[in-house]
């Protein structure tokens, strides 16, 4: 479901043929990647896949990993670990910002 708070990069706007052309990945392979859980494009009420800019970025990363010889199970694990790492980095930055905002700065001698 899309609402006003959905970032533009997450909006599913590209059909499968356009996503295929932009990514250089065959439509059947895009369907396989979806089956394997590597990405989850948005769907219209009629069930048509709609790929976002974020989906295209994921496809670029998948292509890099596959070109490097990583199998799809490995790609899925790497993508999961990278997403976890981004989340943890963001949480860490939030914690640091909160700590800096609530504690007085100590002078360094």
């Amino acid at each position: 479901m899309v609402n006003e708070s959905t970032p533009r990069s997450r909006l599913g706007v590209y059909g499968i043929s356009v996503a295929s052309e932009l990514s250089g990945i065959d439509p059947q392979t895009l369907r396989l990647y979806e089956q394997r859980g590597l990405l989850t494009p948005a769907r219209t009420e009629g069930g048509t896949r709609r790929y976002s800019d974020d989906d295209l970025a994921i496809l670029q990363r998948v292509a890099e990993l596959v070109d490097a010889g990583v199998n799809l199970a490995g790609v899925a694990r790497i993508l999961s670990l990278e997403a976890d790492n981004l989340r943890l980095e963001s949480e860490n930055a939030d914690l640091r910002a909160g700590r800096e905002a609530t504690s007085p700065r100590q002078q360094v001698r």
Side-chain angles (χ1 to χ4, degrees):
M1 180 102 182
V2 176
N3 58 42
E4 290 179 14
S5 66
T6 301
R8 182 173 168 80
S9 65
R10 294 186 66 201
L11 293 176
V13 294
Y14 307 108
I16 194 165
S17 60
V18 174
S20 173
E21 186 174 330
L22 291 172
S23 67
I25 298 172
D26 185 77
Q28 196 62 28
T29 304
L30 294 176
R31 291 182 190 96
L32 173 67
Y33 289 170
E34 182 181 358
Q35 262 183 338
R36 298 287 178 93
L38 300 179
L39 74 157
T40 307
R43 298 278 185 155
T44 64
E45 288 186 24
T48 302
R49 290 172 179 86
R50 291 288 178 201
Y51 294 85
S52 67
D53 289 334
D54 286 353
D55 292 328
L56 294 178
I58 291 169
L59 288 171
Q60 180 180 2
R61 183 67 177 134
V62 169
E64 290 169 358
L65 293 168
V66 168
D67 288 346
V70 179
N71 66 26
L72 293 184
V75 169
R77 185 66 181 135
I78 290 169
L79 291 177
S80 175
L81 289 170
E82 288 175 345
D84 288 347
N85 191 43
L86 283 174
R87 180 184 53 78
L88 290 170
E89 285 176 350
S90 176
E91 289 175 8
N92 194 15
D94 290 346
L95 289 170
R96 283 185 178 149
R99 184 182 68 206
E100 289 173 5
T102 59
S103 66
R105 292 195 169 231
Q106 294 180 345
Q107 291 184 346
V108 178
R109 295 181 195 222

